[in-house]
Amino acid sequence: MPQSLRRSKDRISVLVVTADNMTSELLRNAFAHGRKGFAVETMTGSSQKIISGLAAHKPDVALISEELQDGPQAGVKVLQRLQSSEHIPAIMLLQCSKPECVVNAFRGGARGIFYRTHSLKALSKCIRMVHRGQIWASNEDVEHLINALTRTKPMHLNNPEGMPLLTRREEEVVHLVADGLKNREIAEHLQVKEHSVRNYIYRIFEKLGVSSRVELILYAFSQRDQTS
């Protein structure tokens, strides 16, 4: 593992994935000179090149540009691979708030959206929040997600007999996910194995017809609104 990505108690290791060395170095230098508490490594190139080298990096958080050398949405491929193999919390770096880009990022497994026009101070906060298991999204981002959900098949909460789709334990898992807990923390809270939590979440996804934790969190918020 690269020296600067070794975990320490007081530093968050960050892997920055961009199309070019200039952008990567600008971000690395900005963190080095202006922000303590981060250890930054960079990868540049095409999605294929980056995916082939991911195994050598074990960051706490990944910051992935949506545009890489092989296209404007190539970063989503890296995001998806990272989530399917490593389950490392990731932030998608976007140029602007286009609905399709926001939705694709979260469906690909992003835990946060950050825009190039925003400040380094905001980026530091974003990384810390995502590292703690929270979702980083603006009101506009959330609105894009809600609009996308309403255009897809409706989320049925009851079966044809009118019974709730989720068991009481599954509902408890949903609320813990919405509170920002990671699988390990949910397992500790429920006093079960971590693989049991993964199984719960898989069944919940299947029952509700969602594909990401973000969609699951939106479901939980909608339920809270209905009962408040």
Side-chain angles (χ1 to χ4, degrees), residues 160-224:
E161 289 72 39
M163 299 298 292
L165 284 177
L166 302 184
T167 65
R168 185 171 299 179
R169 174 50 62 91
E170 288 168 349
E171 286 281 4
E172 189 173 5
V173 170
V174 169
H175 292 306
L176 293 172
V177 170
D179 287 338
L181 274 66
K182 300 176 183 178
N183 287 1
R184 176 179 52 79
E185 296 167 328
I186 295 173
E188 291 173 356
H189 181 87
L190 299 178
Q191 297 184 330
V192 298
K193 300 289 187 180
E194 189 171 346
H195 73 83
S196 297
V197 175
R198 288 196 294 269
N199 290 337
Y200 281 130
I201 292 176
Y202 175 79
R203 290 198 296 269
I204 291 166
F205 279 13
E206 288 288 302
K207 289 181 177 182
L208 298 181
V210 300
S211 58
S212 72
R213 291 173 87 100
V214 174
E215 291 177 321
L216 190 58
I217 289 168
L218 289 174
Y219 158 76
F221 287 164
S222 70
Q223 292 299 99
R224 289 175 182 176

Side-chain angles (χ1 to χ4, degrees), residues 1-7 11 13-14 28 38-41:
M1 184 183 301
Q3 178 71 27
S4 58
L5 276 184
R6 289 181 181 170
R7 298 176 188 274
R11 293 203 299 177
S13 60
V14 182
R28 188 213 293 267
F38 298 96
V40 179
E41 276 290 315

Side-chain angles (χ1 to χ4, degrees), residues 15-202:
L15 176 63
V16 176
V17 176
T18 63
D20 59 273
N21 291 325
M22 180 179 294
T23 303
S24 291
E25 288 307 309
L26 283 173
L27 285 168
R28 188 213 293 267
N29 291 336
F31 275 106
H33 293 100
R35 300 287 156 190
K36 296 180 179 179
F38 298 96
V40 179
E41 276 290 315
T42 63
M43 296 183 71
T44 61
S46 67
S47 59
Q48 184 176 0
K49 175 186 174 183
I50 290 166
I51 287 171
S52 66
L54 282 176
H57 300 270
K58 302 291 182 183
D60 295 316
V61 178
L63 176 64
I64 305 171
S65 173
E66 69 169 330
E67 182 170 359
L68 299 176
Q69 288 182 1
D70 50 329
Q73 284 285 303
V76 177
K77 299 177 185 177
V78 177
L79 172 66
Q80 291 171 335
R81 175 58 67 88
L82 195 65
Q83 296 310 301
S84 65
S85 60
E86 303 294 340
H87 304 290
I88 292 169
I91 301 160
M92 184 60 78
L93 182 62
L94 300 180
Q95 291 280 5
C96 58
S97 180
K98 293 181 179 179
E100 64 272 19
C101 295
V102 172
V103 172
N104 286 340
F106 279 118
R107 281 181 173 163
R111 301 284 296 174
I113 295 290
F114 194 81
Y115 297 98
R116 292 177 182 270
T117 55
H118 292 177
S119 68
L120 181 64
K121 181 179 180 180
L123 178 57
S124 301
K125 185 176 180 181
C126 171
I127 292 171
R128 293 185 188 281
M129 291 286 286
V130 168
H131 182 240
R132 290 201 294 266
Q134 302 294 320
I135 298 295
W136 181 275
S138 68
N139 289 338
E140 186 177 7
D141 296 333
V142 172
E143 191 166 330
H144 292 330
L145 287 170
I146 292 173
N147 289 338
L149 284 173
T150 58
R151 289 195 300 271
T152 58
K153 62 181 180 180
M155 188 179 292
H156 299 291
L157 307 182
N158 300 298
N159 63 21
E161 289 72 39
M163 299 298 292
L165 284 177
L166 302 184
T167 65
R168 185 171 299 179
R169 174 50 62 91
E170 288 168 349
E171 286 281 4
E172 189 173 5
V173 170
V174 169
H175 292 306
L176 293 172
V177 170
D179 287 338
L181 274 66
K182 300 176 183 178
N183 287 1
R184 176 179 52 79
E185 296 167 328
I186 295 173
E188 291 173 356
H189 181 87
L190 299 178
Q191 297 184 330
V192 298
K193 300 289 187 180
E194 189 171 346
H195 73 83
S196 297
V197 175
R198 288 196 294 269
N199 290 337
Y200 281 130
I201 292 176
Y202 175 79

